[in-house]
Amino acid sequence: MPPDLTLIGVPSSAGAHSVGQEKAPYHLRRAGFPEALETAGFRVDDRGDLPLALFRARSPDRRQQNLGQVVRVAGRVADEVAAASARGSTPVVLGGDCTITVGVLAGLARADADLGLLYFDGDADLTTPATSGSGIFDSMGVAHMIGLDGAAPALARLGPRFPLLPEDRVALFGFHPDELGPVGQAVLDASAVLSYPVTGFAGRPAAAAAAALAALEARAGTVLVHFDVDVIDFFDLPVADIPLHNEGLTFDEAMRCLTVFAGHEGLAGLTITEFNPDHGAEDGSTTEALVRGLVAALAG
Protein backbone atom coordinates (compact mmCIF):
# COMPACT_ATOMS: atom_id res chain seq x y z
CA MET A 1 0.00 0.00 0.00
CA PRO A 2 1.54 3.38 -1.01
CA PRO A 3 1.96 5.83 1.86
CA ASP A 4 -0.46 8.63 2.55
CA LEU A 5 0.84 11.90 1.15
CA THR A 6 0.12 15.38 2.44
CA LEU A 7 0.58 18.14 -0.13
CA ILE A 8 1.66 21.49 1.30
CA GLY A 9 2.01 24.43 -1.06
CA VAL A 10 4.53 27.12 -0.19
CA PRO A 11 4.10 30.01 -2.66
CA SER A 12 7.25 31.83 -1.62
CA SER A 13 10.09 33.62 -3.33
CA ALA A 14 11.16 35.27 -0.06
CA GLY A 15 14.61 33.68 -0.17
CA ALA A 16 15.02 33.85 -3.94
CA HIS A 17 16.77 36.12 -6.45
CA SER A 18 13.50 37.50 -7.86
CA VAL A 19 9.81 36.71 -8.10
CA GLY A 20 8.49 33.71 -10.04
CA GLN A 21 8.91 30.65 -7.85
CA GLU A 22 5.89 31.55 -5.75
CA LYS A 23 3.71 30.56 -8.73
CA ALA A 24 4.89 26.94 -8.72
CA PRO A 25 2.32 25.35 -6.35
CA TYR A 26 -0.58 26.80 -8.32
CA HIS A 27 0.78 25.63 -11.66
CA LEU A 28 1.64 22.15 -10.39
CA ARG A 29 -1.92 21.75 -9.11
CA ARG A 30 -3.40 23.17 -12.32
CA ALA A 31 -1.40 20.56 -14.25
CA GLY A 32 -3.14 17.86 -12.19
CA PHE A 33 -0.46 16.86 -9.69
CA PRO A 34 -2.85 15.83 -6.85
CA GLU A 35 -5.15 13.93 -9.18
CA ALA A 36 -2.26 12.16 -10.90
CA LEU A 37 -0.95 11.02 -7.51
CA GLU A 38 -4.36 9.59 -6.63
CA THR A 39 -4.56 7.82 -9.98
CA ALA A 40 -1.16 6.29 -9.19
CA GLY A 41 -2.63 4.81 -6.00
CA PHE A 42 -1.69 7.36 -3.34
CA ARG A 43 -4.11 8.66 -0.77
CA VAL A 44 -3.62 12.43 -0.93
CA ASP A 45 -4.50 15.08 1.62
CA ASP A 46 -4.05 18.42 -0.15
CA ARG A 47 -3.72 21.07 2.54
CA GLY A 48 -3.65 23.96 0.09
CA ASP A 49 -1.17 26.82 0.23
CA LEU A 50 0.50 28.74 3.02
CA PRO A 51 0.35 32.56 2.77
CA LEU A 52 2.03 34.17 -0.23
CA ALA A 53 5.52 35.55 0.42
CA LEU A 54 7.27 37.55 -2.30
CA PHE A 55 10.86 38.51 -2.97
CA ARG A 56 11.62 42.09 -2.01
CA ALA A 57 14.49 43.98 -3.59
CA ARG A 58 15.14 46.45 -0.79
CA SER A 59 16.05 44.45 2.26
CA PRO A 60 17.18 46.29 5.42
CA ASP A 61 20.32 44.13 5.51
CA ARG A 62 21.83 43.32 2.11
CA ARG A 63 24.00 40.58 3.61
CA GLN A 64 20.80 38.88 4.83
CA GLN A 65 18.19 39.54 2.17
CA ASN A 66 14.61 39.29 3.49
CA LEU A 67 15.70 37.28 6.54
CA GLY A 68 12.52 38.03 8.49
CA GLN A 69 10.28 36.77 5.68
CA VAL A 70 12.44 33.69 5.12
CA VAL A 71 12.23 32.75 8.81
CA ARG A 72 8.46 33.32 8.98
CA VAL A 73 7.87 31.11 5.94
CA ALA A 74 10.15 28.36 7.26
CA GLY A 75 8.38 28.46 10.63
CA ARG A 76 4.96 28.02 9.02
CA VAL A 77 6.31 25.16 6.93
CA ALA A 78 7.71 23.49 10.05
CA ASP A 79 4.30 23.61 11.76
CA GLU A 80 2.48 22.11 8.74
CA VAL A 81 5.08 19.40 8.22
CA ALA A 82 5.10 18.43 11.90
CA ALA A 83 1.31 18.11 11.85
CA ALA A 84 1.38 15.92 8.74
CA SER A 85 4.07 13.71 10.17
CA ALA A 86 2.14 13.34 13.44
CA ARG A 87 -0.83 12.05 11.41
CA GLY A 88 1.42 9.36 9.93
CA SER A 89 1.42 11.01 6.50
CA THR A 90 4.43 11.76 4.31
CA PRO A 91 4.67 15.49 3.51
CA VAL A 92 5.29 16.51 -0.10
CA VAL A 93 6.10 20.20 0.01
CA LEU A 94 5.68 22.27 -3.15
CA GLY A 95 7.89 25.36 -3.19
CA GLY A 96 8.96 27.94 -3.47
CA ASP A 97 12.66 28.65 -2.98
CA CYS A 98 15.17 26.32 -1.32
CA THR A 99 14.93 27.90 2.13
CA ILE A 100 11.64 26.10 2.74
CA THR A 101 13.62 22.88 3.24
CA VAL A 102 15.01 24.36 6.47
CA GLY A 103 11.41 24.50 7.66
CA VAL A 104 10.62 20.99 6.44
CA LEU A 105 13.62 19.59 8.28
CA ALA A 106 12.78 21.57 11.42
CA GLY A 107 9.23 20.21 11.41
CA LEU A 108 10.29 16.60 10.93
CA ALA A 109 13.00 16.90 13.57
CA ARG A 110 10.43 17.63 16.28
CA ALA A 111 9.57 13.92 16.46
CA ASP A 112 12.40 12.21 14.55
CA ALA A 113 15.91 12.08 15.95
CA ASP A 114 17.17 9.73 13.24
CA LEU A 115 16.84 11.97 10.19
CA GLY A 116 19.13 12.30 7.21
CA LEU A 117 18.97 14.70 4.26
CA LEU A 118 19.42 13.76 0.61
CA TYR A 119 20.05 17.16 -1.01
CA PHE A 120 19.44 16.67 -4.75
CA ASP A 121 20.41 20.09 -6.05
CA GLY A 122 22.51 21.77 -8.72
CA ASP A 123 24.33 23.74 -6.04
CA ALA A 124 25.67 22.78 -2.61
CA ASP A 125 24.12 25.83 -0.88
CA LEU A 126 26.99 26.15 1.59
CA THR A 127 27.34 29.94 1.73
CA THR A 128 26.43 32.07 4.74
CA PRO A 129 25.71 35.78 5.10
CA ALA A 130 29.43 36.15 5.82
CA THR A 131 30.54 34.44 2.58
CA SER A 132 27.71 35.14 0.14
CA GLY A 133 28.14 38.05 -2.22
CA SER A 134 24.40 38.38 -2.83
CA GLY A 135 22.95 37.79 0.62
CA ILE A 136 20.27 35.60 -1.02
CA PHE A 137 19.27 32.80 1.33
CA ASP A 138 18.34 30.15 -1.20
CA SER A 139 22.05 29.56 -1.73
CA MET A 140 22.54 29.09 2.03
CA GLY A 141 20.14 26.29 2.99
CA VAL A 142 22.62 23.53 3.80
CA ALA A 143 24.90 25.93 5.66
CA HIS A 144 22.04 26.75 8.02
CA MET A 145 20.88 23.16 8.45
CA ILE A 146 24.34 22.01 9.55
CA GLY A 147 25.00 25.18 11.56
CA LEU A 148 28.08 26.56 9.83
CA ASP A 149 29.88 29.48 11.45
CA GLY A 150 28.39 32.70 10.15
CA ALA A 151 24.89 31.28 9.64
CA ALA A 152 22.01 33.56 10.65
CA PRO A 153 20.88 32.38 14.13
CA ALA A 154 17.20 33.14 13.47
CA LEU A 155 17.17 30.58 10.65
CA ALA A 156 19.81 28.11 11.80
CA ARG A 157 18.14 27.75 15.22
CA LEU A 158 14.60 27.39 13.87
CA GLY A 159 14.26 23.74 14.87
CA PRO A 160 14.28 21.72 18.09
CA ARG A 161 18.07 21.29 18.11
CA PHE A 162 21.21 22.98 16.85
CA PRO A 163 22.50 22.11 14.43
CA LEU A 164 19.44 20.60 12.81
CA LEU A 165 21.64 17.85 11.35
CA PRO A 166 25.18 16.59 11.89
CA GLU A 167 27.28 17.03 8.78
CA ASP A 168 27.62 13.30 8.15
CA ARG A 169 23.84 12.95 7.85
CA VAL A 170 23.74 15.15 4.74
CA ALA A 171 24.41 13.86 1.23
CA LEU A 172 24.86 16.48 -1.48
CA PHE A 173 23.88 14.93 -4.80
CA GLY A 174 23.95 16.35 -8.32
CA PHE A 175 25.69 19.66 -7.69
CA HIS A 176 28.17 20.98 -10.21
CA PRO A 177 31.60 21.81 -8.71
CA ASP A 178 31.79 25.01 -10.76
CA GLU A 179 28.86 26.36 -8.72
CA LEU A 180 30.80 26.02 -5.45
CA GLY A 181 33.61 28.46 -6.01
CA PRO A 182 36.83 28.27 -3.97
CA VAL A 183 35.19 29.21 -0.65
CA GLY A 184 32.43 26.63 -1.00
CA GLN A 185 34.88 23.96 -2.07
CA ALA A 186 37.04 24.64 0.98
CA VAL A 187 33.99 24.40 3.26
CA LEU A 188 32.95 21.10 1.66
CA ASP A 189 36.45 19.65 1.82
CA ALA A 190 36.68 20.44 5.53
CA SER A 191 33.29 18.96 6.36
CA ALA A 192 31.92 15.45 6.92
CA VAL A 193 29.12 16.01 4.37
CA LEU A 194 28.74 13.20 1.83
CA SER A 195 29.49 14.53 -1.64
CA TYR A 196 28.26 13.27 -5.04
CA PRO A 197 28.93 15.90 -7.73
CA VAL A 198 27.30 15.47 -11.12
CA THR A 199 30.75 15.31 -12.72
CA GLY A 200 31.44 12.04 -10.90
CA PHE A 201 28.48 10.02 -12.17
CA ALA A 202 30.45 8.39 -15.03
CA GLY A 203 27.33 8.19 -17.20
CA ARG A 204 25.43 6.17 -14.55
CA PRO A 205 23.45 8.67 -12.45
CA ALA A 206 20.93 6.13 -11.12
CA ALA A 207 23.77 3.94 -9.85
CA ALA A 208 25.31 6.99 -8.20
CA ALA A 209 21.93 7.73 -6.61
CA ALA A 210 21.75 4.22 -5.18
CA ALA A 211 25.27 4.58 -3.76
CA ALA A 212 24.45 7.94 -2.17
CA LEU A 213 21.27 6.58 -0.61
CA ALA A 214 23.08 3.51 0.73
CA ALA A 215 25.76 5.70 2.32
CA LEU A 216 23.12 7.89 3.97
CA GLU A 217 21.10 4.86 5.11
CA ALA A 218 24.14 3.72 7.08
CA ARG A 219 23.94 6.95 9.09
CA ALA A 220 20.21 7.72 9.32
CA GLY A 221 17.01 5.72 9.69
CA THR A 222 14.78 8.13 7.78
CA VAL A 223 15.55 10.43 4.87
CA LEU A 224 14.17 13.77 3.75
CA VAL A 225 14.67 14.29 0.02
CA HIS A 226 15.18 17.86 -1.17
CA PHE A 227 14.73 18.13 -4.94
CA ASP A 228 15.75 21.34 -6.68
CA VAL A 229 14.71 21.24 -10.32
CA ASP A 230 17.87 23.13 -11.29
CA VAL A 231 19.65 19.75 -11.48
CA ILE A 232 17.82 19.38 -14.81
CA ASP A 233 19.68 20.84 -17.76
CA PHE A 234 17.70 23.90 -18.86
CA PHE A 235 18.13 22.98 -22.52
CA ASP A 236 16.44 19.63 -21.83
CA LEU A 237 13.49 20.95 -19.79
CA PRO A 238 13.30 24.68 -18.90
CA VAL A 239 11.94 24.50 -15.36
CA ALA A 240 14.63 26.00 -13.11
CA ASP A 241 14.53 29.50 -11.68
CA ILE A 242 18.30 29.87 -12.11
CA PRO A 243 19.17 27.74 -15.14
CA LEU A 244 22.16 25.46 -15.63
CA HIS A 245 23.08 25.03 -19.28
CA ASN A 246 24.95 21.93 -20.44
CA GLU A 247 25.90 21.14 -16.83
CA GLY A 248 22.97 19.28 -15.31
CA LEU A 249 21.25 15.96 -15.83
CA THR A 250 18.71 15.28 -18.52
CA PHE A 251 15.12 15.25 -17.31
CA ASP A 252 14.98 11.47 -17.68
CA GLU A 253 18.21 11.02 -15.71
CA ALA A 254 17.00 13.29 -12.92
CA MET A 255 13.70 11.41 -12.64
CA ARG A 256 15.50 8.06 -12.49
CA CYS A 257 17.60 9.35 -9.60
CA LEU A 258 14.53 10.74 -7.86
CA THR A 259 12.83 7.35 -8.28
CA VAL A 260 15.71 5.76 -6.37
CA PHE A 261 15.44 8.29 -3.53
CA ALA A 262 11.63 8.25 -3.32
CA GLY A 263 11.63 4.46 -3.13
CA HIS A 264 13.46 4.49 0.20
CA GLU A 265 11.35 2.73 2.86
CA GLY A 266 12.25 5.41 5.37
CA LEU A 267 11.22 8.35 3.17
CA ALA A 268 10.34 11.09 5.67
CA GLY A 269 9.28 13.69 3.11
CA LEU A 270 9.96 15.30 -0.25
CA THR A 271 10.53 18.98 -0.97
CA ILE A 272 10.24 20.25 -4.56
CA THR A 273 11.88 23.63 -5.05
CA GLU A 274 13.05 26.31 -7.49
CA PHE A 275 10.46 25.61 -10.21
CA ASN A 276 9.66 28.82 -12.10
CA PRO A 277 6.63 28.28 -14.37
CA ASP A 278 7.40 31.48 -16.30
CA HIS A 279 10.32 29.71 -18.00
CA GLY A 280 8.25 26.93 -19.57
CA ALA A 281 5.98 26.69 -22.60
CA GLU A 282 2.95 28.96 -22.54
CA ASP A 283 0.60 26.04 -23.16
CA GLY A 284 1.56 24.42 -19.86
CA SER A 285 3.23 21.42 -21.48
CA THR A 286 6.48 21.97 -19.57
CA THR A 287 4.69 21.84 -16.23
CA GLU A 288 2.70 18.80 -17.35
CA ALA A 289 5.93 16.99 -18.24
CA LEU A 290 7.36 17.81 -14.82
CA VAL A 291 4.21 16.52 -13.10
CA ARG A 292 4.32 13.24 -15.05
CA GLY A 293 7.95 12.76 -14.06
CA LEU A 294 7.37 13.54 -10.39
CA VAL A 295 4.40 11.18 -10.13
CA ALA A 296 6.25 8.39 -11.89
CA ALA A 297 9.23 8.83 -9.54
CA LEU A 298 7.05 8.73 -6.43
CA ALA A 299 5.16 5.70 -7.72
CA GLY A 300 8.40 3.88 -8.48
Side-chain angles (χ1 to χ4, degrees):
M1 174 72 71
D4 289 339
L5 301 179
T6 295
L7 293 187
I8 302 166
V10 189
S12 174
S13 53
H17 295 77
S18 62
V19 294
Q21 296 182 60
E22 72 283 348
K23 303 174 186 178
Y26 167 77
H27 282 265
L28 289 169
R29 287 195 178 91
R30 191 175 74 168
F33 189 44
E35 296 81 5
L37 287 170
E38 290 173 341
T39 299
F42 294 99
R43 289 172 289 171
V44 177
D45 179 14
D46 190 348
R47 307 294 290 183
D49 287 351
L50 294 177
L52 178 68
L54 293 174
F55 165 85
R56 294 174 183 166
R58 295 182 179 179
S59 179
D61 183 351
R62 294 197 175 188
R63 304 294 299 185
Q64 302 183 96
Q65 294 283 347
N66 301 319
L67 174 60
Q69 272 204 107
V70 168
V71 172
R72 281 192 294 275
V73 170
R76 289 170 179 149
V77 170
D79 290 342
E80 287 290 328
V81 165
S85 184
R87 294 191 298 269
S89 184
T90 302
V92 176
V93 183
L94 311 178
D97 66 77
C98 283
T99 61
I100 67 173
T101 296
V102 181
V104 177
L105 189 61
L108 291 172
R110 293 180 188 178
D112 188 348
D114 201 20
L115 266 171
L117 174 65
L118 200 303
Y119 205 77
F120 189 14
D121 196 302
D123 195 357
D125 293 347
L126 286 168
T127 61
T128 69
T131 60
S132 166
S134 67
I136 299 293
F137 275 95
D138 73 356
S139 66
M140 305 187 202
V142 173
H144 284 76
M145 288 183 274
I146 63 175
L148 286 184
D149 289 343
L155 187 60
R157 297 183 179 273
L158 184 73
R161 56 179 179 258
F162 178 83
L164 272 170
L165 280 180
E167 292 177 352
D168 65 353
R169 287 187 175 226
V170 178
L172 302 179
F173 186 88
F175 68 95
H176 199 288
D178 288 351
E179 300 299 312
L180 276 171
V183 173
Q185 188 64 60
V187 170
L188 182 57
D189 291 344
S191 77
V193 171
L194 299 167
S195 173
Y196 298 86
V198 68
T199 50
F201 291 174
R204 302 176 65 228
L213 184 59
L216 195 57
E217 283 177 329
R219 294 163 169 79
T222 58
V223 173
L224 168 64
V225 177
H226 161 98
F227 176 55
D228 183 333
V229 299
D230 74 1
V231 300
I232 302 168
D233 191 293
F234 198 77
F235 287 142
D236 197 59
L237 192 73
V239 288
D241 186 57
I242 304 296
L244 292 180
H245 301 98
N246 293 326
E247 291 184 345
L249 299 170
T250 67
F251 178 54
D252 180 64
E253 288 172 335
M255 291 303 101
R256 281 190 275 130
C257 292
L258 188 60
T259 300
V260 172
F261 301 144
H264 178 45
E265 289 186 1
L267 180 68
L270 170 66
T271 311
I272 301 164
T273 68
E274 299 286 321
F275 171 42
N276 188 334
D278 290 343
H279 292 168
E282 291 184 2
D283 63 0
S285 57
T286 305
T287 308
E288 291 168 1
L290 179 60
V291 164
R292 287 194 298 271
L294 293 171
V295 172
L298 281 163

